[in-house]
Amino acid sequence: MKKIRKYVALIGCLMVFAALALGSGSDTSVDNSKAGGISDKTNEEKDNTVMVGGSFENNGLKCTVTDADTDFTDYEDKYGMYTPGDGNKYVKADFTFENTGKSDVYVSVSDFDCYADNASCEQRFMSQVCDFMGDDLSTGRQASFSVIFEVPVGAESIDLEYTANIWTGDKVIIKLQ
């Protein structure tokens, strides 16, 4: 009987932990007041879609999309290491993250995925453009960095997805094109 009580208590503790970890919904807020071009978005898209110049905040981490270049060519390539594949080009987006919370927060370039016309695109790392891979931000600290992806030249839509909460799967969409 004691073993059963221990298992019931353990299962109860795990359920409480899971409920706390997963939360009750999205804690992400989006502010596109300083960005243009959102009038054609539906209400659902406005809730989690950020435009260039806009920002989002999630659990004490504020991110501003400071700039984007959908035809990024401003890099050195003397040895041909960074030449995009046939029919492809690079896009670059610049971000500033600020820890507005009360504990350290980890930010990383690997928190981003890119989709061109809903197809996944490869991230590229160019140390001359961006030497930031990821770091813990203390309360009140900021980090600015860029992410670069290789996309098809003829892509009609280019979106980045930022994983705002790995426990709930909440994502923020950054509309580049």
Side-chain angles (χ1 to χ4, degrees):
M1 190 65 153
K2 285 185 180 182
K3 284 186 179 183
I4 292 175
R5 286 185 192 164
K6 286 182 184 180
Y7 288 120
V8 169
L10 177 63
I11 290 171
C13 287
L14 289 174
M15 289 174 59
V16 168
F17 175 74
L20 291 173
L22 294 177
S24 59
S26 176
D27 293 329
T28 303
S29 64
V30 171
D31 178 8
N32 279 313
S33 62
K34 296 180 182 171
I38 63 166
S39 60
D40 59 341
K41 303 283 177 256
T42 66
N43 284 336
E44 184 178 313
E45 287 177 316
K46 286 181 185 177
D47 287 344
N48 73 336
T49 301
V50 178
M51 308 303 286
V52 176
S55 63
F56 65 89
E57 201 161 344
N58 181 279
N59 293 326
L61 186 63
K62 181 178 180 180
C63 174
T64 302
V65 185
T66 56
D67 198 14
D69 185 347
T70 57
D71 191 15
F72 177 63
T73 58
D74 190 21
Y75 57 92
E76 290 180 29
D77 192 19
K78 24 181 169 176
Y79 303 109
M81 294 174 39
Y82 301 118
T83 304
D86 288 342
N88 289 343
K89 65 179 182 176
Y90 292 127
V91 296
K92 179 176 80 89
D94 303 325
F95 300 92
T96 296
F97 281 83
E98 178 183 3
N99 184 348
T100 60
K102 296 180 180 172
S103 59
D104 290 1
V105 178
Y106 186 76
V107 294
S108 170
V109 297
S110 64
D111 293 334
F112 292 89
D113 293 308
C114 179
Y115 295 91
D117 296 335
N118 296 319
S120 181
C121 299
E122 291 292 321
Q123 189 167 14
R124 299 293 181 229
F125 302 98
M126 298 178 186
S127 60
Q128 67 201 357
V129 177
C130 178
D131 60 1
F132 181 89
M133 294 302 285
D135 202 2
D136 282 314
L137 289 182
S138 301
T139 299
R141 302 293 185 180
Q142 293 183 356
S144 295
F145 58 89
S146 302
V147 294
I148 300 169
F149 289 88
E150 185 173 342
V151 303
V153 170
E156 291 185 25
S157 71
I158 302 171
D159 301 330
L160 299 182
E161 282 187 359
Y162 175 77
T163 304
N165 186 327
I166 61 170
W167 297 106
T168 63
D170 285 347
K171 295 191 185 295
V172 175
I173 308 301
I174 297 110
K175 200 79 164 144
L176 298 184
Q177 178 175 303

